[in-house]
Amino acid sequence: GTPVVITNAGGLKETITHEQDGYIVEVGDVESLAKWTIKLLTDDTLRAEIRHLAQESVKKFDIKKTGMETIVLYDEIINNERN
C-alpha cells in the first residue's frame, strides 16, 4: 500500500477513507494538498501506519470477492423480479 493524497473528484474518493488509508482534499485546495503531502513525506511513523492500513483496505477490492458479491446481487434482483 502506498500512502496517497487525492482530490475528492472522480471514483478515487470511493476507495480511500480520509486519515485512515490516505488523505482526501477538495479540488483546488492547494494548501491542504501541500499539508498532507508534507505530513506524509516527513512523518515516517504516520507513513508506515497509512501504508499498513492501505494494504488492509485494498483487500475489499479483491476480484473474487467482488465477483461473488456481484453474483449475489444479480441473484437477488432476479428473485425480486420473479416475486
Side-chain angles (χ1 to χ4, degrees), residues 38-83:
I38 290 167
K39 190 168 182 91
L40 281 174
L41 290 172
T42 58
D43 188 333
D44 294 340
T45 303
L46 175 66
R47 194 170 53 250
E49 182 180 321
I50 296 287
R51 181 181 299 122
H52 172 73
L53 292 170
Q55 288 171 337
E56 291 302 310
S57 70
V58 76
K59 291 177 183 177
K60 66 185 171 192
F61 298 105
D62 176 73
I63 190 69
K64 289 180 183 178
K65 181 180 179 219
T66 303
M68 288 305 299
E69 289 172 351
T70 302
I71 291 170
V72 168
L73 177 62
Y74 285 167
D75 283 343
E76 288 174 4
I77 293 169
I78 291 168
N79 288 331
N80 285 336
E81 291 291 320
R82 290 180 181 163
N83 296 329

Side-chain angles (χ1 to χ4, degrees), residues 7 9 12 17 19 31 36-37 46 64 66-68 73 77:
T7 63
L12 282 178
T17 302
E19 295 190 54
E31 289 180 16
W36 292 116
T37 301
L46 175 66
K64 289 180 183 178
T66 303
M68 288 305 299
L73 177 62
I77 293 169

